[in-house]
């Protein structure tokens, strides 16, 4: 392992192991997710001689996901819903490295960090970096690229039709045509037929479109969303008189519904504090499904739909968001038009000043180059021991893991429960024993926050 990292935040950086004994096994924790928080706590309570722990994480504070809606609603401060990983690593006797892992060499057993920093070696590694929603920019870009590819194929494709003289009439999209003998593969001056119709693809997005997309914020990583949420609150707090602030939430799962209600509560409280009735709030929730909360029963769906209506959150079902466009004003808009339009696959669109993106998540892109076996969404496939299906000694847990034989929704409750079997198996493997399988719970108590209670 690297001997030192001058910029790393840790008071235990030069500690050999948890009890200052010689290093026999290096355990590397990548990410500060819920399961790793448990592992660090337990290693602090039950040190293991000869084991050196190292935690690499992008952030010194990690959020507890279950408290984020309450933080958004104004019930908790940012500090109250975050775990201090520096203090926790010190308690565990672990080295703390503030950095971002960008690659794993599963054969050399090293990880690479972003920036000009040395690789870190390990004997056992575990990944708990959470998931990342596919951003609207990515969704929109992929859609535009597909549209342009289809248009290019259509533009260069020629339909051949034999006329009454036995010639082939070649027609291009532009409407021009030429006759050629059947079997002749060239037209005009001998260039391949259709060669003159090649289309140069334009840029995928204009600057105005990118500006509109920049006001669409994914809920993960939480730190990025938290900073944007502070800016949204300030924008409502300082909005000019007569302004209607339009906030769109994309995603009808538990996270999207909770956030919509929490944001509605907090922003309406801000408006009450202002006392300026000319400033208003318009909340919209878009979901691609025929109902919100698709993983819950119909009674829960109906109950939450009623609460959303009572809290003046406008819900649009069967509305899959696929892009954002700059808003083109009309004479009746008034002095404060919205920033943009969220485009849906059915052709409908919804105005917004800010948009929060809370949809299906995926794994980090860099995992694709590790050689670890991943599922279709880029999550690490693991056995019932939480060990990689194709790489012994590398574990994964939380949202980034796909337990092949026990698939479960991406939810914090499952990540927290994986902490104990992960801790037990890390100790077993470090002692030369085989990891043991665990049984994931099949159901869980779902607590849905409504913002103001």
């Amino acid at each position: 392992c690297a001997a030192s990292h001058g910029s790393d935040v840790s008071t235990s950086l030069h500690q050999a192991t948890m009890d200052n004994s010689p290093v026999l096994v290096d355990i590397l924790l990548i990410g500060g997710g819920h399961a790793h928080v448990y592992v660090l706590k337990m290693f602090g309570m039950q040190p293991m001689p000869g084991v050196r722990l190292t935690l690499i994480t992008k952030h010194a504070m990690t959020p507890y996901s279950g408290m984020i809606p309450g933080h958004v609603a104004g019930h908790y401060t940012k500090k109250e819903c975050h775990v201090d990983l520096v203090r926790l690593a010190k308690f565990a006797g672990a080295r703390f490295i503030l950095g971002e892992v960008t690659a794993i060499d599963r054969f050399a057993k090293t990880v690479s960090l972003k920036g000009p920093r040395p690789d870190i070696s390990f004997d056992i590694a575990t990944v708990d970096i959470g998931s990342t929603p596919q951003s609207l920019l990515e969704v929109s870009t992929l859609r535009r690229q597909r549209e342009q590819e289809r248009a290019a194929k259509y533009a260069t494709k020629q339909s051949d039709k034999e006329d009454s003289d036995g010639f082939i009439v070649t027609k291009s999209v532009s409407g021009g045509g030429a006759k050629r003998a059947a079997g002749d593969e060239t037209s005009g001056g001998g260039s391949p037929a259709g060669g003159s119709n090649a289309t140069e693809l334009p840029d995928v997005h204009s600057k105005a479109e990118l500006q509109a997309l920049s006001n669409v914020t994914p809920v993960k990583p939480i730190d990025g969303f938290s900073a944007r949420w502070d800016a949204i609150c300030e924008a409502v707090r300082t909005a000019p008189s007569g302004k209607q602030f339009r906030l769109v939430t994309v995603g009808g799962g538990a996270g999207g519904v909770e956030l919509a209600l929490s944001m509605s509560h907090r922003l309406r409280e801000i408006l009450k504090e202002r006392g300026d009735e000319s400033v208003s709030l318009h909340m919209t929730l878009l979901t691609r499904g025929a109902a919100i909360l698709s993983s819950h029963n119909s009674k829960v769906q109906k109950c939450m739909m009623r609460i959303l209506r009572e809290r003046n959150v406008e819900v649009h079902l069967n509305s899959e968001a696929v892009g954002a466009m700059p808003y083109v004003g009309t004479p009746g808009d008034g002095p404060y038009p919205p920033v943009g339009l969220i485009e849906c696959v059915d052709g409908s669109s919804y105005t917004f000043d800010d948009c929060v993106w809370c949809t299906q998540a995926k794994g980090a892109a860099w995992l694709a180059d590790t050689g670890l076996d991943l599922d279709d969404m880029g999550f690490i496939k693991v056995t019932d021991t939480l060990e990689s299906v194709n790489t012994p000694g590398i574990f994964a847990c939380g949202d980034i893991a796909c337990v092949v034989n026990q698939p479960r929704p991406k939810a914090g409750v499952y990540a927290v429960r994986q902490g104990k079997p992960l801790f037990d198996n890390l100790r077993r493997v470090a002692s030369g024993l085989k990891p043991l399988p665990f049984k994931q719970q099949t159901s869980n108590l779902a607590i849905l926050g409504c913002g103001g209670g």
Side-chain angles (χ1 to χ4, degrees):
C1 289
S4 65
H5 300 274
S7 61
D8 298 332
V9 184
S10 178
T11 57
S12 57
L13 188 61
H14 301 292
Q15 188 170 320
T17 61
M18 289 177 279
D19 60 354
N20 288 317
S21 60
V23 177
L24 301 177
V25 179
D26 266 308
I27 298 180
L28 177 62
L29 279 61
I30 302 170
H34 295 347
H36 280 184
V37 167
Y38 180 91
V39 167
L40 287 166
K41 174 186 173 183
M42 293 308 298
F43 267 117
M45 296 172 66
Q46 302 175 27
M48 190 172 181
V51 168
R52 176 166 62 180
L53 284 178
T54 302
L55 171 65
I56 304 177
T57 176
K58 292 193 295 184
H59 307 291
M61 305 286 287
T62 189
Y64 179 64
S65 59
M67 295 178 70
I68 295 302
H71 166 61
V72 169
H75 304 315
Y76 311 118
T77 66
K78 190 178 297 186
K79 184 177 180 179
E80 287 172 332
C81 60
H82 281 70
V83 176
D84 187 335
L85 292 175
V86 177
R87 291 181 61 187
L88 185 58
K90 182 179 180 180
F91 171 74
R95 300 189 305 167
F96 181 94
I97 298 176
L98 191 63
E100 181 178 356
V101 172
T102 58
I104 298 175
D105 187 328
R106 61 198 183 104
F107 300 110
K109 291 195 170 184
T110 61
V111 299
S112 300
L113 303 181
K114 186 176 182 179
R117 305 177 72 175
D119 290 350
I120 307 295
S121 62
F122 63 87
D123 297 301
I124 306 167
T126 169
V127 184
D128 188 10
I129 57 175
S131 58
T132 304
Q134 190 174 32
S135 71
L136 183 54
L137 177 59
E138 291 174 298
V139 172
S140 178
T141 299
L142 289 171
R143 176 173 173 251
R144 291 292 181 84
Q145 288 174 340
R146 285 195 296 267
E147 289 176 350
Q148 291 178 358
E149 287 167 2
R150 285 196 297 268
K153 289 179 181 178
Y154 182 69
T156 56
K157 182 179 180 181
Q158 296 179 325
S159 59
D160 291 347
K161 187 175 182 181
E162 189 171 329
D163 70 3
S164 58
D165 297 325
F167 285 89
I168 300 291
V169 178
T170 62
K171 295 182 178 179
S172 68
V173 175
S174 62
K179 287 187 177 182
R180 61 180 172 85
D184 186 2
E185 298 302 325
T186 63
S187 64
S191 61
S196 60
N197 295 321
T199 303
E200 183 178 351
L201 297 182
D203 290 337
V204 175
H205 293 97
S206 67
K207 288 183 179 180
E209 288 170 328
L210 290 174
Q211 176 60 42
L213 286 164
S214 70
N215 280 49
V216 180
T217 306
V219 296
K220 293 182 180 179
I222 295 296
D223 282 356
F225 166 71
S226 182
R228 187 64 185 178
W229 175 239
D230 290 342
I232 291 172
C233 290
E234 186 61 21
V236 172
R237 192 175 288 112
T238 60
S241 295
K243 166 72 176 176
Q244 182 184 59
F245 192 87
R246 302 163 181 85
L247 181 59
V248 173
T249 304
V250 178
V257 170
E258 276 194 294
L259 276 177
L261 289 168
S262 297
M263 292 188 295
S264 176
H265 172 77
R266 179 64 184 130
L267 295 180
R268 295 187 195 283
E269 288 294 308
I270 290 174
L271 291 178
K272 285 181 184 178
E273 294 168 5
R274 280 192 57 161
D276 185 350
E277 295 183 359
S278 71
V279 180
S280 60
L281 176 68
H282 187 272
M283 297 285 300
T284 303
L285 175 70
L286 305 179
T287 179
R288 67 179 181 178
I292 60 170
L293 303 171
S294 60
S295 62
H296 293 72
N297 63 51
S298 59
K299 289 184 178 180
V300 174
Q301 294 171 351
K302 290 176 182 177
C303 176
M304 296 307 292
M305 279 292 288
R306 174 181 58 79
I307 293 172
L308 286 163
R309 285 194 298 269
E310 291 173 353
R311 307 293 168 85
N312 296 311
V313 179
E314 188 178 285
V315 179
H316 294 273
L317 306 176
N318 301 307
S319 299
E320 183 180 359
V322 292
M325 291 288 290
Y327 180 74
V328 179
T330 64
D333 282 336
Y336 310 113
V339 170
L341 292 168
I342 294 293
E343 297 177 300
C344 292
V345 73
D346 64 356
S348 59
S349 60
Y350 301 90
T351 57
F352 73 96
D353 291 295
D354 262 279
C355 174
V356 175
W357 187 258
C358 189
T359 61
Q360 188 175 23
K362 62 175 185 175
W366 62 266
L367 288 170
D369 298 323
T370 60
L372 295 170
D373 199 1
L374 310 178
D375 70 3
D376 292 341
M377 296 304 295
F379 300 118
I380 301 171
K381 296 167 74 172
V382 298
T383 68
D384 292 344
T385 66
L386 296 176
E387 192 172 35
S388 165
V389 297
N390 71 334
T391 308
I394 295 183
F395 293 77
C397 52
D399 282 3
I400 198 59
C402 167
V403 185
V404 176
N405 297 325
Q406 305 179 64
R408 297 291 185 272
K410 302 298 182 185
V413 62
Y414 296 108
V416 169
R417 296 292 179 89
Q418 289 174 0
K420 185 180 186 308
L422 177 65
F423 170 68
D424 292 340
N425 280 337
L426 290 175
R427 290 179 67 94
R428 289 184 62 85
V429 175
S431 301
L433 302 174
K434 290 184 178 181
L436 297 177
F438 84 110
K439 182 70 175 177
Q440 288 209 103
Q441 63 192 88
T442 56
S443 61
N444 64 280
L445 175 66
I447 301 175
L448 298 173
C450 300

